[in-house]
Amino acid sequence: MSKELVQMAIDTYKGSTGEFSQAQSNEAIRKALIELNGGEEKITDKSFRRNPALFEFLEETLRVLVVEGLTDQFSEFAEVRDVAMGDQQIFRIPDTKLFRVATISDGNQNIRLQRIDNGEVPIKTVWRGVGIYEELSRVMAGRIDWVEMINRVSRSYQKQIANEVYSAVYNSYDKVNAPYKATASFDPETVIEIAQHVEAATDSQVMILGTKQALAKVKPSQLSDRMKDRKNDVGYLGVFEGYELHEIKQAHKIGTDEFAVDPNFLLIVPVLEDKMVKIVNEGEARIKEVDGLENEDMSQEYKFFMKSGITVVSAQKYGIVRFA
C-alpha cells in the first residue's frame, strides 16, 4: 500500500492539498484507486472484490483519520494509545501523594516506611462499526468526492467515541469524592475552591473545561470592558481568576437533536501528561463487504469496524461542578 496515496487522501480530507485544488486532489485519488483496481476504468462489484488493495487503502486511511481525530479532540484531558490486536493495554497511574516527613530525635532512625503506591488500570475494548451502502462504488465512478465519503465515516466513528467519553466523564461524578465536586448554582468561590484542591493534589496548573453554554456562566461579579468584549467575541472569558477556560465543542447525539455534552457542568483538570481519560484503539481497522446479491434490495454493503475502549480513571484528581 502506497503511503503517499494514503497521505494524499488524508491531506484532501483535511483540506491541506498544497499546490493542488480540492477537485484536482479528488481526481488524483480516484485515478490512483482505479490503478489499485488493476487499471480497469470500469469498476464493478466483481472487480472491486478481486482487488483487496482497495480495502487495504480504505482501512488504513480511515484508521489514521479516526486516531488523529480522537487525539486532537481530546488532547486536553484524554490519552489515546494504539495496541496490536490481542494485546491488553495497561495504564500505570502514578501516585501523586507527597510523603509525610517525620520529626525525630538524635540517633533515632525509626521512621514509618511509606510505599510508592502506583496503580494499574486495564482497558477493555469492544468492536464498533459503521455501515454504508453504494457510497464506495459511487466514489469509484466519480459521482461522489473523496472528502464527502471519508468525512462521513470517520466523523461518525469519532462522534460516537466522543459521546461515550463525555457521558463517562459526566457520570463519573458519583465516583469523585468531596472536596472535588459540587452541585449548585454558579458560585465563583466554589469553582475556585475546587480548582485549588485539584492544584494542591496534583501540584500542577489547572484549567476549566465546559461547553460554551457552561463557560458563559463562569464570570466574576463585575466585568471590565475588556472582559465584556472578550465574552461578546467568543461567548466566554478566556481566563477566570487565573484559570484558563477551554471550550468543549457541543454536538448532538447521533440521530437525535439531544446534546451529547451536558451544558450544565464544568470539568476542572490538571495540566499533566497523565490524563484522566484513557482511549485505546486495538488492532487494525477492518472493512467487510456484503455482496448485493445476498441482500433483498440488491444493495452493496460495506462495513467499517474498529476495536476500542474508554475508561475514566477515578483515582486521578480532577473536579466536577454541576449547575443546579
Side-chain angles (χ1 to χ4, degrees):
M1 174 54 54
S2 168
K3 291 184 179 180
E4 290 77 12
L5 178 57
V6 172
Q7 190 58 53
M8 186 192 302
I10 293 170
D11 288 343
T12 301
Y13 165 77
K14 291 180 176 180
S16 55
T17 52
E19 300 177 358
F20 302 99
S21 69
Q22 196 82 4
Q24 288 173 321
S25 296
N26 286 333
E27 180 61 17
I29 291 170
R30 191 182 74 83
K31 288 181 178 179
L33 292 176
I34 290 174
E35 184 177 344
L36 290 176
N37 194 50
E40 297 182 27
E41 290 289 337
K42 250 333 190 184
I43 304 208
T44 65
D45 292 334
K46 289 183 178 180
S47 67
F48 194 78
R49 290 195 298 271
R50 282 198 304 265
N51 294 280
L54 294 170
F55 282 106
E56 182 183 343
F57 166 74
L58 291 169
E59 288 169 344
E60 187 173 346
T61 305
L62 286 168
R63 187 179 190 283
V64 171
L65 287 173
V66 167
V67 172
E68 286 188 0
L70 292 175
T71 302
D72 292 342
Q73 185 173 3
F74 299 112
S75 60
E76 293 171 326
F77 63 95
E79 181 178 356
V80 181
R81 288 189 189 176
D82 293 336
V83 298
M85 183 62 69
D87 289 352
Q88 184 181 44
Q89 181 63 54
I90 297 178
F91 288 86
R92 287 172 175 79
I93 310 302
D95 184 1
T96 59
K97 295 193 300 292
L98 297 178
F99 296 119
R100 294 183 180 181
V101 179
T103 300
I104 57 177
S105 59
D106 289 344
N108 179 16
Q109 60 176 3
N110 184 19
I111 300 176
R112 180 181 177 182
L113 300 180
Q114 301 166 74
R115 184 183 179 188
I116 301 175
D117 191 19
N118 292 333
E120 294 185 346
V121 177
I123 308 297
K124 179 182 178 182
T125 58
V126 296
W127 285 105
R128 294 176 175 83
V130 176
I132 59 176
Y133 68 96
E134 292 185 349
E135 299 286 10
L136 297 181
S137 59
R138 290 167 60 198
V139 169
M140 305 301 293
R143 294 198 301 270
I144 183 171
D145 68 29
W146 168 260
V147 175
E148 180 180 348
M149 190 277 285
I150 197 66
N151 181 56
R152 192 178 307 176
V153 175
S154 60
R155 281 187 61 218
S156 298
Y157 192 91
Q158 290 175 42
K159 182 169 284 190
Q160 177 61 33
I161 296 294
N163 287 355
E164 294 184 33
V165 167
Y166 292 129
S167 177
V169 171
Y170 184 80
N171 292 330
S172 73
Y173 183 87
D174 293 337
K175 298 179 181 178
V176 176
N177 298 321
Y180 299 96
K181 66 179 181 180
T183 300
S185 299
F186 174 74
D187 172 44
E189 293 301 322
T190 299
V191 174
I192 294 171
E193 182 178 351
I194 292 177
Q196 287 193 315
H197 277 299
V198 176
E199 271 185 318
T202 61
D203 195 26
S204 169
Q205 291 181 320
V206 166
M207 60 182 168
I208 301 173
L209 307 174
T211 64
K212 183 173 290 187
Q213 188 174 340
L215 294 179
K217 299 177 182 179
V218 181
K219 56 183 183 293
S221 55
Q222 292 186 338
L223 295 176
S224 66
D225 290 340
R226 183 178 177 182
M227 290 178 178
K228 290 178 182 177
D229 289 341
R230 162 75 186 190
K231 194 170 187 299
N232 186 59
D233 287 341
V234 299
Y236 58 90
L237 302 177
V239 178
F240 170 70
E241 301 295 345
Y243 299 111
E244 290 188 5
L245 306 183
H246 292 267
E247 181 182 355
I248 296 174
K249 292 295 184 182
Q250 186 58 274
H252 282 151
K253 293 182 179 179
I254 297 175
T256 75
D257 292 324
E258 182 182 352
F259 281 143
V261 188
D262 192 286
N264 292 301
F265 94 106
L266 298 174
L267 182 61
I268 303 172
V269 299
V271 183
L272 295 171
E273 289 188 10
D274 191 42
K275 312 295 186 183
M276 57 177 284
V277 175
K278 311 297 183 184
I279 302 173
V280 171
N281 298 301
E282 181 184 349
E284 299 298 323
R286 296 180 181 177
I287 289 181
K288 178 183 178 182
E289 179 194 34
V290 178
D291 193 334
L293 296 177
E294 298 177 10
N295 290 331
E296 293 293 334
D297 60 358
M298 301 290 287
S299 64
Q300 193 78 15
E301 296 179 9
Y302 301 93
K303 296 178 181 178
F304 167 68
F305 298 95
M306 276 186 66
K307 198 172 187 183
S308 57
I310 301 165
T311 293
V312 178
V313 182
S314 57
Q316 297 280 52
K317 296 299 183 182
Y318 60 93
I320 293 180
V321 178
R322 285 183 177 178
F323 297 138

